[in-house]
Amino acid sequence: MVRHFLDIHRLDAADLRAILDDARARKQARKGWPRGRVDADAPARDRVLAMIFEKNSTRTRFSFDAAIRQLGGQGIIANASDMQLGRGEPIEDTARVLSRMVDAVMIRANDHEDVERFARVSDVPVINALTNRSHPCQILADLLTIEEHLGTVEGKTIAWVGDGNNVCHSFMHAAPKLGFRLRVACPAEYHPDLRDLEKGGAHVYLTADPREAVQGADVVVTDTWVSMGDQDYEARLAAFEPYTVDEALMAEANDGAVFLHCLPAHRGEEVTDEVIDGPRSLIWDEAENRIHAQKAVLAWCFAG
Ligand code: CP
Ligand code: NVA
């Protein structure tokens, strides 16, 4: 069986736990090393990773490229618009061709179904690097960051404030796997997809009130109000106006609560400068942890 990494709800809880633990161990083991040095076990030695981007990216692009190098492998990055994919070549044909040329494929796609279609015919592991529907790699980095600062995420309460978007969906997928509570505050018209909400089950509580959501929270998370591909910019800014994460909202969370944001951030919209640049913000650790988390994902895929 090829090990794809498509969504957290499709992983066994034990595999998810193992990926997070491996990420942490790999990070520890190379403290102080130059960024280009290969990990001692080099689990991707002689392997090639293709990275395909249909949408913009800074963190995902550089972290996956750095990750495959640190694992001893090599990467090839392409924007979909430069590929025949961008001129209408069927995604299945692209998948079959790349299966003959590389050992794994990472895709950032506009339409989630395209990643599923790619994976259905691919002979090599496929990794979801963000779609309109989910962003599982981001959530691994977030969980790693939370556990570094607060200990095990099991039993913790995480508040999501803002858009019920792709990143929120992946958080909901992880909640029952790792046993944390997720309190989601969104305006009614921008609530999460009900299919994803269902996957969170009793671990997810949905409200329209950001103050209610952050009560008892150990972690407060937000994301942009306008994701890549969203068209209704003005309507969104108006609807989300009461959802800015500011000092007053953080004060309603638990003492010592930390703040996360996957970035890129829009200071003055979903979060104030004081919070994102303040002492409770873990955003730079969170961004760095994209490398460590994705190395563990790649190692897990290659071990399959
Ligand atoms: N958080 C994240 O995925 O960032 P990029 O869009 O820059 O990759
Ligand atoms: N929700 C955002 C995340 C960017 C990393 C988007 O999809 O644009």
Side-chain angles (χ1 to χ4, degrees):
M1 267 277 283
V2 181
R3 275 188 178 174
H4 301 303
F5 182 79
L6 299 180
D7 267 314
I8 290 177
H9 63 80
R10 290 161 77 153
L11 284 183
D12 287 345
D15 281 353
L16 176 57
R17 184 74 260 165
I19 288 170
L20 287 171
D21 291 348
D22 185 44
R24 191 170 185 164
R26 285 188 184 281
K27 182 176 181 180
Q28 283 291 332
R30 61 176 297 119
K31 268 213 157 62
W33 286 17
R35 304 253 154 80
R37 188 177 294 170
V38 176
D39 286 5
D41 60 340
R45 183 184 287 121
D46 303 332
R47 311 271 192 151
V48 177
L49 171 70
M51 295 165 269
I52 303 173
F53 289 90
E54 280 187 3
K55 306 195 202 201
N56 295 52
S57 170
T58 297
R59 279 142 289 266
T60 305
R61 190 176 182 123
F62 285 89
S63 59
F64 262 108
D65 201 0
I68 189 67
R69 293 169 195 228
Q70 290 185 7
L71 295 176
Q74 299 175 53
I76 304 172
I77 296 184
N79 293 328
S81 57
D82 299 328
M83 297 170 58
Q84 297 293 4
L85 194 56
R87 294 179 59 244
E89 182 170 15
I91 196 135
E92 287 81 1
D93 289 2
T94 307
R96 290 188 179 105
V97 169
L98 290 186
S99 292
R100 301 289 184 100
M101 297 181 175
V102 302
D103 300 295
V105 180
M106 182 237 82
I107 314 178
R108 169 167 287 197
N110 291 311
D111 184 352
H112 187 83
E113 182 54 24
D114 284 344
V115 177
E116 298 277 349
R117 284 171 58 198
F118 196 111
R120 276 199 284 276
V121 302
S122 177
D123 295 328
V124 299
V126 175
I127 297 169
N128 170 3
L130 181 148
T131 69
N132 59 321
R133 188 85 187 273
S134 59
H135 196 2
C137 293
Q138 181 65 52
I139 292 327
L140 294 182
D142 289 13
L143 293 168
L144 180 60
T145 309
I146 291 167
E147 295 205 323
E148 279 175 346
H149 288 267
L150 303 180
T152 179
V153 74
E154 187 179 352
K156 297 282 188 301
T157 299
I158 300 176
W160 176 274
V161 178
D163 191 11
N165 65 12
N166 46 3
V167 181
C168 176
H169 290 162
S170 288
F171 252 121
M172 297 195 303
H173 300 162
K177 299 279 177 191
L178 293 175
F180 61 86
R181 286 178 292 277
L182 187 66
R183 296 168 66 84
V184 178
C186 304
E189 60 274 43
Y190 295 109
H191 64 67
D193 190 306
L194 296 180
R195 294 166 297 178
D196 295 284
L197 190 60
E198 205 170 275
K199 294 193 169 73
H203 289 263
V204 181
Y205 176 78
L206 186 60
T207 173
D209 180 358
R211 296 169 65 114
E212 186 191 0
V214 302
Q215 301 296 323
D218 304 295
V219 184
V220 177
V221 196
T222 190
D223 184 16
T224 181
W225 293 339
V226 186
S227 283
M228 293 180 278
D230 287 338
Q231 306 293 342
D232 49 345
Y233 183 76
E234 298 298 334
R236 282 176 169 270
L237 288 199
F240 287 115
E241 208 252 342
Y243 291 82
T244 301
V245 177
D246 56 16
E247 290 286 8
L249 191 67
M250 288 300 291
E252 305 259 343
N254 283 351
D255 289 346
V258 296
F259 173 78
L260 295 180
H261 189 310
C262 65
L263 306 178
H266 305 79
R267 290 171 170 78
E269 292 183 12
E270 71 271 11
V271 61
T272 60
D273 298 276
E274 289 74 19
V275 171
I276 196 167
D277 298 322
R280 291 149 170 277
S281 173
L282 304 180
I283 57 167
W284 309 125
D285 287 347
E286 182 184 10
E288 176 189 331
N289 281 338
R290 294 293 305 277
I291 298 187
H292 309 296
Q294 287 154 200
K295 284 169 67 183
V297 170
L298 287 163
W300 177 80
C301 288
F302 290 135

Coordinates of all heavy atoms in Angstrom, one line a residue, residues 45-105:
R45 N 17.5 9.1 1.4 CA 18.6 9.0 0.6 C 18.2 8.4 -0.8 O 17.5 7.4 -0.8 CB 19.7 8.1 1.2 CG 21.0 8.0 0.4 CD 22.0 7.1 1.1 NE 22.6 7.7 2.3 CZ 22.6 7.2 3.5 NH1 21.9 6.1 3.7 NH2 23.1 7.8 4.5
D46 N 18.7 8.9 -1.9 CA 18.4 8.5 -3.2 C 17.0 8.7 -3.7 O 16.6 8.1 -4.7 CB 18.8 7.0 -3.4 CG 20.2 6.7 -3.0 OD1 21.1 7.6 -3.2 OD2 20.5 5.6 -2.6
R47 N 16.2 9.5 -2.9 CA 14.8 9.7 -3.3 C 14.6 11.1 -3.8 O 15.3 12.0 -3.4 CB 13.9 9.6 -2.1 CG 14.1 8.3 -1.3 CD 13.3 7.2 -1.7 NE 13.3 6.1 -0.8 CZ 12.3 5.2 -0.6 NH1 11.2 5.3 -1.3 NH2 12.4 4.3 0.3
V48 N 13.7 11.2 -4.7 CA 13.4 12.5 -5.3 C 11.9 12.9 -5.0 O 11.0 12.1 -5.2 CB 13.6 12.5 -6.9 CG1 13.2 13.8 -7.5 CG2 15.0 12.2 -7.2
L49 N 11.7 14.1 -4.6 CA 10.4 14.6 -4.3 C 10.0 15.7 -5.3 O 10.7 16.6 -5.5 CB 10.3 15.2 -2.9 CG 9.0 16.0 -2.5 CD1 7.9 15.1 -2.3 CD2 9.3 16.9 -1.3
A50 N 8.8 15.5 -6.0 CA 8.3 16.6 -6.8 C 7.4 17.5 -6.0 O 6.6 17.0 -5.2 CB 7.6 16.0 -8.0
M51 N 7.5 18.8 -6.2 CA 6.6 19.7 -5.5 C 5.9 20.6 -6.5 O 6.5 21.3 -7.3 CB 7.5 20.6 -4.5 CG 8.1 19.8 -3.5 SD 9.5 20.6 -2.6 CE 10.9 20.1 -3.6
I52 N 4.6 20.5 -6.5 CA 3.8 21.2 -7.5 C 2.9 22.2 -6.9 O 2.2 21.9 -5.9 CB 2.8 20.1 -8.3 CG1 3.7 19.0 -8.9 CG2 2.0 20.9 -9.3 CD1 2.8 17.9 -9.5
F53 N 2.9 23.4 -7.4 CA 2.2 24.5 -6.8 C 1.2 25.1 -7.8 O 1.6 25.7 -8.8 CB 3.1 25.6 -6.2 CG 3.9 25.2 -5.0 CD1 5.1 24.5 -5.1 CD2 3.3 25.4 -3.8 CE1 5.8 24.1 -4.0 CE2 4.0 24.9 -2.6 CZ 5.3 24.3 -2.7
E54 N -0.1 25.0 -7.4 CA -1.1 25.7 -8.2 C -1.4 27.1 -7.6 O -2.1 27.9 -8.2 CB -2.4 24.9 -8.2 CG -2.4 23.8 -9.2 CD -3.8 23.1 -9.3 OE1 -4.8 23.6 -8.7 OE2 -3.9 22.2 -10.1
K55 N -1.0 27.3 -6.3 CA -1.2 28.5 -5.6 C 0.1 29.0 -5.1 O 1.1 28.2 -4.9 CB -2.2 28.4 -4.5 CG -3.5 27.7 -4.8 CD -4.4 27.9 -3.6 CE -5.5 26.9 -3.5 NZ -6.7 27.4 -2.7
N56 N 0.1 30.3 -4.7 CA 1.4 30.9 -4.1 C 1.8 30.2 -2.8 O 0.9 29.6 -2.2 CB 1.1 32.4 -3.8 CG 0.8 33.2 -5.0 OD1 0.0 32.8 -5.8 ND2 1.6 34.3 -5.1
S57 N 3.0 30.3 -2.5 CA 3.5 29.7 -1.2 C 4.9 30.3 -0.9 O 5.7 30.4 -1.8 CB 3.6 28.2 -1.3 OG 4.3 27.7 -0.2
T58 N 5.1 30.6 0.4 CA 6.5 30.8 0.8 C 6.9 29.7 1.8 O 7.9 29.0 1.5 CB 6.5 32.2 1.6 OG1 6.2 33.2 0.7 CG2 7.9 32.5 2.2
R59 N 6.2 29.5 2.9 CA 6.6 28.5 3.9 C 6.6 27.1 3.4 O 7.5 26.4 3.6 CB 5.6 28.6 5.1 CG 5.9 29.7 6.1 CD 4.7 30.3 6.6 NE 4.1 31.1 5.5 CZ 4.2 32.4 5.3 NH1 5.0 33.1 6.2 NH2 3.7 33.0 4.3
T60 N 5.5 26.7 2.7 CA 5.4 25.3 2.3 C 6.5 25.0 1.2 O 7.1 23.9 1.3 CB 4.0 25.1 1.7 OG1 3.0 25.5 2.7 CG2 3.8 23.7 1.3
R61 N 6.7 26.0 0.4 CA 7.7 25.8 -0.7 C 9.1 25.6 -0.1 O 9.8 24.6 -0.4 CB 7.6 27.0 -1.6 CG 8.4 26.9 -2.8 CD 8.1 28.2 -3.7 NE 8.8 28.1 -4.9 CZ 8.3 28.2 -6.1 NH1 7.0 28.4 -6.2 NH2 9.0 28.0 -7.2
F62 N 9.5 26.5 0.7 CA 10.9 26.5 1.2 C 11.0 25.3 2.3 O 12.1 24.7 2.4 CB 11.3 27.8 1.8 CG 11.6 28.8 0.7 CD1 10.6 29.6 0.2 CD2 12.9 28.9 0.2 CE1 10.9 30.5 -0.9 CE2 13.2 29.8 -0.8 CZ 12.2 30.6 -1.4
S63 N 10.0 25.1 3.1 CA 10.1 24.1 4.1 C 10.2 22.7 3.5 O 10.9 21.8 3.9 CB 9.0 24.2 5.1 OG 7.7 24.1 4.6
F64 N 9.4 22.4 2.5 CA 9.5 21.1 1.8 C 10.8 20.9 1.1 O 11.4 19.8 1.1 CB 8.3 20.8 0.9 CG 7.2 20.1 1.5 CD1 6.0 20.7 1.8 CD2 7.3 18.7 1.7 CE1 5.0 19.9 2.4 CE2 6.3 18.0 2.3 CZ 5.1 18.6 2.6
D65 N 11.3 21.9 0.5 CA 12.6 21.8 -0.2 C 13.7 21.6 0.8 O 14.5 20.7 0.6 CB 12.8 23.1 -1.1 CG 13.8 22.8 -2.2 OD1 14.3 21.7 -2.3 OD2 14.1 23.8 -2.9
A66 N 13.7 22.4 1.9 CA 14.7 22.2 2.9 C 14.5 20.8 3.5 O 15.5 20.1 3.8 CB 14.6 23.2 4.0
A67 N 13.3 20.3 3.7 CA 13.0 19.1 4.4 C 13.6 17.9 3.6 O 14.3 17.0 4.1 CB 11.5 18.9 4.6
I68 N 13.3 17.9 2.3 CA 13.8 16.7 1.5 C 15.3 16.7 1.5 O 15.9 15.6 1.5 CB 13.1 16.7 0.1 CG1 13.5 15.4 -0.6 CG2 13.6 17.9 -0.8 CD1 12.8 14.1 0.0
R69 N 15.9 17.9 1.5 CA 17.4 17.9 1.5 C 18.0 17.4 2.8 O 18.9 16.6 2.8 CB 17.9 19.3 1.3 CG 17.6 19.9 -0.1 CD 17.9 21.3 -0.2 NE 17.3 21.9 -1.4 CZ 17.9 22.8 -2.2 NH1 19.2 23.1 -2.0 NH2 17.3 23.3 -3.2
Q70 N 17.3 17.8 3.9 CA 17.8 17.4 5.2 C 17.6 15.9 5.4 O 18.3 15.3 6.3 CB 17.1 18.1 6.4 CG 17.5 19.6 6.4 CD 17.0 20.4 7.6 OE1 16.3 19.8 8.5 NE2 17.2 21.7 7.6
L71 N 16.7 15.3 4.7 CA 16.5 13.8 4.8 C 17.4 13.1 3.8 O 17.3 11.8 3.7 CB 15.0 13.5 4.5 CG 14.0 14.0 5.5 CD1 12.6 13.7 5.0 CD2 14.2 13.4 6.9
G72 N 18.2 13.8 3.1 CA 19.2 13.1 2.2 C 18.7 13.0 0.8 O 19.3 12.3 -0.1
G73 N 17.5 13.5 0.5 CA 16.9 13.4 -0.9 C 17.0 14.6 -1.7 O 17.7 15.6 -1.3
Q74 N 16.4 14.7 -2.8 CA 16.4 15.8 -3.7 C 15.0 16.2 -4.1 O 14.1 15.4 -4.2 CB 17.2 15.5 -5.0 CG 18.7 15.1 -4.7 CD 19.4 14.6 -5.9 OE1 19.4 15.4 -6.9 NE2 19.9 13.5 -5.9
G75 N 14.9 17.5 -4.4 CA 13.5 18.0 -4.8 C 13.5 18.7 -6.1 O 14.5 19.2 -6.6
I76 N 12.3 18.7 -6.7 CA 12.1 19.4 -8.0 C 10.8 20.2 -7.8 O 9.7 19.6 -7.5 CB 11.8 18.4 -9.2 CG1 13.0 17.4 -9.3 CG2 11.6 19.2 -10.4 CD1 12.8 16.3 -10.4
I77 N 10.9 21.5 -7.9 CA 9.7 22.4 -7.7 C 9.2 22.9 -9.0 O 10.0 23.3 -9.9 CB 10.1 23.6 -6.8 CG1 10.5 23.1 -5.4 CG2 8.9 24.6 -6.7 CD1 10.8 24.3 -4.4
A78 N 7.9 22.8 -9.2 CA 7.3 23.4 -10.4 C 6.0 24.1 -10.1 O 5.2 23.6 -9.3 CB 7.0 22.3 -11.4
N79 N 5.7 25.2 -10.7 CA 4.4 25.8 -10.6 C 3.5 25.1 -11.7 O 4.0 24.9 -12.8 CB 4.5 27.3 -10.9 CG 5.3 28.1 -9.9 OD1 5.2 27.7 -8.7 ND2 6.0 29.1 -10.3
A80 N 2.3 24.8 -11.3 CA 1.4 24.1 -12.2 C 1.2 24.9 -13.5 O 1.1 24.3 -14.6 CB 0.1 23.8 -11.5
S81 N 1.3 26.2 -13.4 CA 1.0 27.0 -14.6 C 2.2 26.9 -15.6 O 2.0 27.1 -16.8 CB 0.9 28.5 -14.2 OG 2.1 28.9 -13.5
D82 N 3.3 26.4 -15.2 CA 4.4 26.1 -16.1 C 4.4 24.7 -16.6 O 5.2 24.3 -17.5 CB 5.8 26.3 -15.4 CG 6.0 27.7 -14.9 OD1 5.5 28.6 -15.5 OD2 6.7 27.9 -13.9
M83 N 3.5 23.9 -16.1 CA 3.4 22.5 -16.5 C 2.3 22.3 -17.6 O 1.4 23.2 -17.7 CB 3.1 21.6 -15.3 CG 4.2 21.6 -14.3 SD 3.7 20.7 -12.7 CE 3.3 19.1 -13.3
Q84 N 2.3 21.2 -18.3 CA 1.2 20.9 -19.2 C -0.2 20.8 -18.5 O -1.2 21.1 -19.0 CB 1.5 19.7 -20.0 CG 2.7 19.7 -20.9 CD 2.6 20.7 -22.0 OE1 1.6 21.4 -22.2 NE2 3.6 20.8 -22.9
L85 N -0.1 20.5 -17.2 CA -1.3 20.5 -16.3 C -2.0 21.8 -16.4 O -3.2 21.9 -16.5 CB -0.8 20.3 -14.8 CG -1.7 20.0 -13.7 CD1 -2.5 18.7 -14.0 CD2 -1.0 19.8 -12.4
G86 N -1.2 22.9 -16.5 CA -1.8 24.3 -16.6 C -2.4 24.5 -18.0 O -3.2 25.5 -18.2
R87 N -2.2 23.6 -19.0 CA -2.8 23.8 -20.3 C -3.8 22.7 -20.5 O -4.3 22.4 -21.6 CB -1.7 23.6 -21.4 CG -0.8 24.8 -21.4 CD 0.3 24.7 -22.5 NE -0.3 24.6 -23.8 CZ -0.3 23.5 -24.6 NH1 0.4 22.4 -24.3 NH2 -0.8 23.6 -25.8
G88 N -4.2 22.0 -19.4 CA -5.3 21.1 -19.5 C -5.0 19.6 -19.6 O -5.8 18.7 -19.7
E89 N -3.6 19.2 -19.5 CA -3.3 17.8 -19.5 C -4.0 17.2 -18.2 O -4.0 17.7 -17.1 CB -1.8 17.6 -19.4 CG -1.5 16.1 -19.4 CD 0.0 15.8 -19.5 OE1 0.9 16.7 -19.3 OE2 0.3 14.6 -19.9
P90 N -4.7 16.0 -18.4 CA -5.4 15.4 -17.3 C -4.5 15.2 -16.1 O -3.4 14.7 -16.3 CB -5.9 14.1 -17.9 CG -6.0 14.3 -19.4 CD -4.8 15.3 -19.7
I91 N -5.1 15.4 -14.9 CA -4.3 15.2 -13.7 C -3.8 13.7 -13.6 O -2.7 13.5 -13.1 CB -5.1 15.7 -12.5 CG1 -4.1 15.9 -11.3 CG2 -6.2 14.8 -12.1 CD1 -4.3 17.2 -10.6
E92 N -4.7 12.8 -14.0 CA -4.3 11.4 -13.9 C -3.1 11.1 -14.8 O -2.2 10.3 -14.4 CB -5.5 10.5 -14.3 CG -6.6 10.4 -13.3 CD -7.6 11.6 -13.4 OE1 -7.4 12.5 -14.3 OE2 -8.5 11.6 -12.6
D93 N -3.0 11.7 -16.0 CA -1.9 11.5 -16.9 C -0.6 12.0 -16.2 O 0.5 11.4 -16.2 CB -2.1 12.1 -18.2 CG -3.1 11.3 -19.0 OD1 -3.7 10.4 -18.5 OD2 -3.4 11.7 -20.2
T94 N -0.8 13.2 -15.6 CA 0.4 13.8 -14.9 C 0.9 12.9 -13.8 O 2.1 12.7 -13.6 CB 0.0 15.2 -14.3 OG1 -0.6 16.0 -15.4 CG2 1.1 15.9 -13.7
A95 N -0.1 12.3 -13.0 CA 0.3 11.5 -11.9 C 1.0 10.2 -12.4 O 2.0 9.8 -11.8 CB -1.0 11.1 -11.2
R96 N 0.5 9.6 -13.5 CA 1.2 8.4 -14.0 C 2.6 8.7 -14.5 O 3.5 7.9 -14.3 CB 0.3 7.8 -15.1 CG -1.0 7.2 -14.6 CD -1.8 6.5 -15.7 NE -3.0 5.9 -15.1 CZ -4.2 6.4 -15.3 NH1 -4.4 7.5 -16.1 NH2 -5.3 5.9 -14.7
V97 N 2.8 9.8 -15.2 CA 4.1 10.2 -15.7 C 5.0 10.4 -14.5 O 6.1 9.9 -14.4 CB 4.0 11.4 -16.6 CG1 5.4 12.0 -16.9 CG2 3.3 11.1 -17.9
L98 N 4.6 11.2 -13.5 CA 5.5 11.5 -12.4 C 5.8 10.3 -11.6 O 6.9 10.2 -11.0 CB 4.9 12.6 -11.5 CG 4.9 14.0 -12.2 CD1 4.4 15.1 -11.2 CD2 6.2 14.4 -12.7
S99 N 4.9 9.3 -11.6 CA 5.1 8.1 -10.8 C 6.3 7.3 -11.4 O 6.9 6.5 -10.8 CB 3.9 7.1 -10.9 OG 2.8 7.7 -10.1
R100 N 6.6 7.6 -12.7 CA 7.8 6.9 -13.4 C 9.1 7.7 -13.2 O 10.1 7.3 -13.6 CB 7.5 6.8 -14.9 CG 6.3 6.0 -15.3 CD 6.4 4.5 -15.0 NE 5.3 3.8 -15.4 CZ 5.2 3.1 -16.6 NH1 6.3 3.1 -17.4 NH2 4.1 2.4 -16.9
M101 N 9.0 8.9 -12.6 CA 10.1 9.8 -12.5 C 10.6 10.2 -11.1 O 11.8 10.5 -11.0 CB 9.8 11.1 -13.3 CG 9.6 10.8 -14.8 SD 9.3 12.4 -15.6 CE 9.2 11.8 -17.3
V102 N 9.7 10.2 -10.2 CA 10.0 10.6 -8.8 C 9.5 9.6 -7.8 O 8.8 8.7 -8.2 CB 9.5 12.1 -8.5 CG1 10.0 13.1 -9.5 CG2 8.0 12.1 -8.5
D103 N 9.9 9.8 -6.6 CA 9.5 8.9 -5.5 C 8.4 9.3 -4.6 O 7.9 8.6 -3.8 CB 10.8 8.6 -4.6 CG 11.9 8.0 -5.5 OD1 11.7 6.9 -6.0 OD2 12.9 8.7 -5.6
A104 N 8.0 10.6 -4.7 CA 6.9 11.1 -4.0 C 6.5 12.5 -4.6 O 7.4 13.1 -5.3 CB 7.2 11.4 -2.5
V105 N 5.3 12.9 -4.4 CA 4.8 14.1 -5.0 C 4.0 14.9 -3.9 O 3.2 14.4 -3.2 CB 3.8 13.9 -6.2 CG1 3.3 15.2 -6.8 CG2 4.5 13.0 -7.3

